[in-house]
Amino acid sequence: MKKIIDLFCGVGGLSYGFKKNNYKVVAAVDHWKDALLTYQYNFPEIEIFNQDIKDFNKNHLNNIIKKNKKIDGVIGGPPCQGFSTVGTRKVEDKRNHLYLEFYNTVKKVNPNFFIIENVSGFLNLSKGMFIEDIIDRFGNDGLGYKINYKLINSSSYGVPQNRKRVFIIGTKNKEFEFPKENNKFISSYEAISDLNFKLNSKKGNGVYQYPVKAKSTYQRQMRKNSKRIINHENTNHEDQTISVISKIRDGGTIHDLDKKYWEIRKYNKTFQRMNSKLPSLTIDTGHRNYFHYNANRIPTVRECARLQSFPDDFVFKGSKTSQYKQVGNAVPPLLSELLAKKIKPRDIVTRKALENAATIVAATGGSTNAGLHLPAIANEAGIKFDLMDVAKIFKRTPYLADLKPGGKYVAKDMWLAGGVPMLLKTLYEGGYIHGDCMTVTGKTMKENLKGIKFNPKQKVMRSFKNPLSPTGGVVGLKGNLAPEGGIVKIAGLKKLQFTGRARCFDNEESAMKAVQSRKYKDGDVIIIRYEGPVGGPGMREMLSTTGAIYGQGKGEKVALITDGRFSGATRGFCVGHVGPEAALGGPIALLRNGDVIDIDAKKGTINVRLTKSQLASRRRKWKARKSDFGSGTLWKYAQTVGPASLGAPTHPGKKKEVKEYSKI
């Protein structure tokens, strides 16, 4: 699990988002006691330090580093009042230099990344002096981080609030790419309308049961882990105040009032109502500056928290005034989540994800090429997952989708019937799919499948309880003819065993000529060798030959074995990816015409009826076949390519990396 330190943590808006993305917060630091009371209540497992950051760096940081060995990130929002457009914006404000202590922490920890959050004024204070200093101090001329920064409006990232903040992110390797903005804004009404009911007129504890069902997806998200409303205490306004508020329309301003009120508040954002159809105004610490879009009052702490994207089970401690301040100073958790995800291919490609991929191939009777591509992807990511690992998944997965070429339907039929999500749903319900895998959506497989229901009335896909066959459409084979394994597509096959005599060819062209002239007979096992990764070079598909055999009506009467590969359209008893390949002296290179071969797709075996000594004798006499390519790209490819069982990779993969190229 990746580890981070949260400096100037406040109530933990940043911590919340990173924790949801499987980061472990090893230390949270802040000088504000009330905020830490809230933090500790919501994150009881995290060690907190109620002290000045200077004291933390001096007295505790070394122990934190020693205890955790490697800390991946330092995050935080140094106090920003000195930069705020609401504040004095004085360069000499002592609070403007606390980021230097942040710098000292980063320098000492040397994390993979850091995040600084601040108000928009940070970028142009003193003509950009501070941002330039950060770039120099943390960047290539200083600590060597690649710096990217952006002024972000939270409303563009799923937060129902117009809140502009600067995020400065430094990474050790590849420059951080900010998530793409989403133009689907969430309105104030969508965010808090379920909280708009008559509150206790007298001072209460602010705790209520939900009086109505959630009215929007966002509300359901906020209410997910909560059975009650907390921190929803009414503010008792004077009658005169209520009367004044009532005169301001939905989305209106102080200019809806008589001119005599215009001089009362000089701050230009005072006396405003939220607009029910738009994201709310900025939730700041001056909570009396704006009013509920409909009710004649200021928003409650809970409503402000909702608009900040804090879920309803997040509890705020301290006085009500302090709670408002805590909410206003926080980073929206939803925005923090997006930054924390930092989704990269290698974060998504895991052993479980590869197993899920193999499962869906097997359940659909997919191409044997999956036995090549999935190990190649695994090699790239540094994961052990070879052909026979794929085969194990194939063996335990039921065949559910009745698709061509072996079945009745085409891919469009499957899409119309409910598509891959519905098939994944029944596989998940049957325990064949890992639900905790992260996907490119930013959600887990389980989360993606929530709400998907299997339709038993359609005919294209079966439930896991009623499969077309208990085994997937592709089977792995192993034996003395294929010590490294081979693969066969059994979807649509009537017989799963075959015994016959070898008919050997050293390339596809000669095999094709023999088939076209019908120079073979029923019961033959056609061998096409020297078509593997090295021998091809490049592992061509044998589709033409298999197609010709099937077209002659011999698909079930002969078998075909090759160290090459097949297309997903292959029909008949065809075994591919046999390894070691012929070019490397594998057993397939030692076969002679007439050798008896046994293939059993039920048991997962492929053997030639030769003893170990007979095979050894032939190997001593075997001479490597001279390649047709003595120069150029194909020759170069043949020098580096690995075995088909590992996906025919041309490099050792991530496990041999000295420096991870994806982070260069």
Side-chain angles (χ1 to χ4, degrees):
M1 183 177 283
K2 297 177 182 177
K3 301 175 181 178
I4 60 171
I5 294 174
D6 192 349
L7 303 176
F8 312 101
C9 64
V11 299
L14 277 173
S15 288
Y16 189 95
F18 276 81
K19 189 170 177 286
K20 281 202 71 175
N21 281 276
N22 295 316
Y23 283 84
K24 181 181 180 181
V25 184
V26 297
V29 186
D30 205 293
H31 195 260
W32 186 13
K33 189 176 180 179
D34 279 9
L36 286 182
L37 287 173
T38 295
Y39 190 105
Q40 192 166 39
Y41 183 89
N42 292 283
F43 308 104
E45 77 285 0
I46 296 175
E47 187 175 11
I48 63 172
F49 297 86
N50 182 201
Q51 56 191 199
D52 189 281
I53 186 176
K54 291 182 181 179
D55 295 330
F56 171 78
N57 286 342
K58 182 180 177 181
N59 301 319
H60 302 287
L61 185 56
N62 283 336
N63 288 333
I64 296 292
I65 296 171
K66 186 178 178 180
K67 183 178 178 181
N68 292 281
K69 295 183 180 179
K70 176 62 179 175
I71 294 170
D72 297 276
V74 176
I75 62 177
C80 58
Q81 289 89 341
F83 303 125
S84 174
T85 57
V86 181
T88 60
R89 297 169 60 81
K90 292 181 178 178
V91 176
E92 63 271 18
D93 192 313
K94 292 181 180 180
R95 297 167 296 180
N96 292 342
H97 298 276
L98 281 173
Y99 80 89
L100 294 178
E101 285 300 328
F102 189 102
Y103 164 81
N104 290 333
T105 307
V106 172
K107 186 179 180 179
K108 190 83 177 261
V109 172
N110 190 32
N112 294 329
F113 70 92
F114 70 85
I115 297 178
I116 295 176
E117 180 264 355
N118 224 298
V119 294
S120 58
F122 190 91
L123 292 178
N124 54 32
L125 182 65
S126 192
K127 298 180 180 180
M129 179 187 76
F130 284 97
I131 187 64
E132 289 177 6
D133 185 77
I134 286 178
I135 292 172
D136 290 341
R137 197 178 294 273
F138 289 85
N140 292 327
D141 295 335
L143 301 183
Y145 287 91
K146 292 179 174 61
I147 310 294
N148 196 6
Y149 63 91
K150 185 176 181 179
L151 180 62
I152 286 176
N153 190 334
S154 299
S155 65
S156 299
Y157 293 92
V159 180
Q161 173 195 175
N162 283 308
R163 184 184 188 87
K164 293 182 179 180
R165 293 293 187 271
V166 176
F167 285 86
I168 305 161
I169 300 180
T171 51
K172 277 292 187 182
N173 300 298
K174 188 178 180 181
E175 186 176 295
F176 181 87
E177 293 184 13
F178 282 91
K180 291 183 179 179
E181 296 181 358
N182 184 353
N183 292 322
K184 287 187 176 182
F185 300 118
I186 298 173
S187 69
S188 300
Y189 180 88
E190 291 174 292
I192 63 173
S193 59
D194 62 323
L195 302 177
N196 187 18
F197 53 89
K198 189 175 181 181
L199 303 177
N200 295 331
S201 59
K202 295 182 179 180
K203 190 174 181 180
N205 59 7
V207 179
Y208 299 86
Q209 299 298 315
Y210 291 106
V212 295
K213 292 183 178 180
K215 301 179 181 181
S216 68
T217 301
Y218 183 82
Q219 291 175 13
R220 285 191 290 274
Q221 184 182 358
M222 295 294 104
R223 291 164 61 157
K224 185 177 179 181
N225 298 312
S226 182
K227 294 182 179 180
R228 58 179 184 166
I229 309 168
I230 306 169
N231 303 124
H232 197 39
E233 188 176 334
N234 189 38
T235 296
N236 293 315
H237 298 296
E238 298 291 336
D239 290 343
Q240 184 181 358
T241 302
I242 295 172
S243 176
V244 172
I245 296 172
S246 69
K247 296 175 182 177
I248 302 174
R249 57 190 168 81
D250 183 348
T253 69
I254 196 171
H255 294 98
D256 289 336
L257 303 175
D258 294 337
K259 287 186 178 182
K260 65 179 181 180
Y261 292 100
W262 296 7
E263 299 297 322
I264 294 177
R265 299 285 182 93
K266 296 294 185 181
Y267 175 45
N268 63 359
K269 292 184 180 179
T270 195
F271 276 31
Q272 292 187 91
R273 266 199 196 272
M274 298 175 188
N275 191 321
S276 61
K277 297 179 180 179
L278 298 174
S280 89
L281 304 164
T282 301
I283 302 300
D284 55 26
T285 57
H287 58 280
R288 294 184 181 273
N289 291 324
Y290 47 81
F291 310 120
H292 192 281
Y293 62 82
N294 174 295
N296 295 322
R297 56 174 176 79
I298 63 172
T300 68
V301 171
R302 178 50 53 196
E303 287 168 333
C304 290
R306 274 274 193 95
L307 296 167
Q308 274 278 60
S309 76
F310 280 98
D312 288 1
D313 63 336
F314 196 99
V315 180
F316 294 86
K317 296 292 184 177
S319 68
K320 189 166 70 170
T321 299
S322 177
Q323 291 172 19
Y324 276 114
K325 188 178 179 182
Q326 292 171 40
V327 176
N329 279 334
V331 176
L334 278 183
L335 181 55
S336 173
E337 273 189 68
L338 284 175
L339 296 177
K341 279 187 171 68
K342 294 177 62 185
I343 299 173
K344 305 184 297 293
R346 287 182 179 180
D347 296 328
I348 297 170
V349 180
T350 62
R351 171 77 185 216
K352 286 183 177 180
L354 291 165
E355 290 179 356
N356 282 351
T359 300
I360 196 69
V361 172
T364 55
S367 174
T368 55
N369 285 315
L372 190 70
H373 300 319
L374 293 177
I377 294 170
N379 179 73
E380 185 72 34
I383 301 167
K384 185 185 178 302
F385 192 69
D386 61 22
L387 174 65
M388 298 315 293
D389 290 319
V390 176
K392 288 177 185 176
I393 306 297
F394 289 167
K395 190 174 182 179
R396 76 186 188 206
T397 304
Y399 178 33
L400 302 179
D402 194 6
L403 298 175
K404 290 180 181 293
K408 299 177 182 177
Y409 304 98
V410 297
K412 185 181 178 182
D413 297 322
M414 181 173 168
W415 177 73
L416 291 171
V420 173
M422 194 170 79
L423 188 62
L424 285 169
K425 182 72 171 184
T426 190
L427 286 166
Y428 174 70
E429 290 175 342
Y432 299 101
I433 289 286
H434 301 290
D436 56 349
C437 289
M438 180 60 67
T439 69
V440 293
T441 66
K443 299 178 180 179
T444 63
M445 181 67 75
K446 182 181 179 180
E447 290 172 328
N448 284 340
L449 296 176
K450 187 179 180 181
I452 303 293
K453 293 182 179 179
F454 187 83
N455 178 12
K457 295 182 180 180
Q458 52 79 39
K459 298 180 180 179
V460 183
M461 293 169 278
R462 301 281 190 91
S463 162
F464 77 91
K465 296 177 182 178
N466 181 36
L468 291 160
S469 69
T471 304
V474 181
V475 173
L477 306 173
K478 214 167 188 179
N480 71 351
L481 185 52
E484 291 179 355
I487 201 163
V488 60
K489 186 174 180 178
I490 64 169
L493 286 183
K494 295 176 182 177
K495 296 191 301 180
L496 299 181
Q497 294 90 15
F498 194 97
T499 296
R501 294 188 178 274
R503 181 87 163 85
C504 300
F505 301 92
D506 286 351
N507 54 61
E508 188 193 14
E509 288 81 3
S510 58
M512 185 64 175
K513 286 181 182 178
V515 171
Q516 287 175 325
S517 58
R518 298 182 183 265
K519 292 182 179 179
Y520 69 99
K521 59 182 182 292
D522 293 358
D524 278 355
V525 181
I526 295 174
I527 307 296
I528 305 178
R529 56 196 177 190
Y530 297 100
E531 294 287 7
V534 174
M539 215 173 176
R540 295 186 297 168
E541 63 180 31
M542 306 293 111
L543 181 60
S544 297
T545 306
T546 61
I549 293 170
Y550 200 87
Q552 293 174 0
K554 302 293 185 179
E556 300 270 348
K557 296 178 181 179
V558 300
L560 190 150
I561 298 174
T562 181
D563 52 8
R565 64 185 182 89
F566 301 112
S567 161
T570 297
R571 295 185 178 188
F573 215 125
C574 302
V575 181
H577 303 203
V578 168
E581 62 176 292
L584 300 178
I588 192 173
L590 311 178
L591 293 177
R592 297 173 183 172
N593 289 335
D595 288 340
V596 180
I597 296 171
D598 299 303
I599 309 169
D600 192 329
K602 223 172 191 179
K603 294 181 179 179
T605 58
I606 180 169
N607 292 292
V608 57
R609 294 183 186 179
L610 295 171
T611 64
K612 288 183 179 180
S613 60
Q614 287 174 314
L615 286 169
S617 176
R618 291 187 183 185
R619 186 169 287 105
R620 286 192 294 271
K621 299 175 183 178
W622 174 79
K623 292 183 179 180
R625 179 176 175 270
K626 189 177 180 180
S627 174
D628 294 334
F629 300 91
S631 64
T633 301
L634 288 176
W635 176 87
K636 189 183 292 184
Y637 171 85
Q639 311 312 304
T640 59
V641 69
S645 61
L646 298 179
T650 55
H651 59 81
K654 183 177 182 289
K655 60 186 176 183
K656 293 290 185 178
E657 285 179 357
V658 177
K659 186 172 184 177
E660 189 175 318
Y661 88 92
S662 67
K663 293 182 177 179
I664 295 175

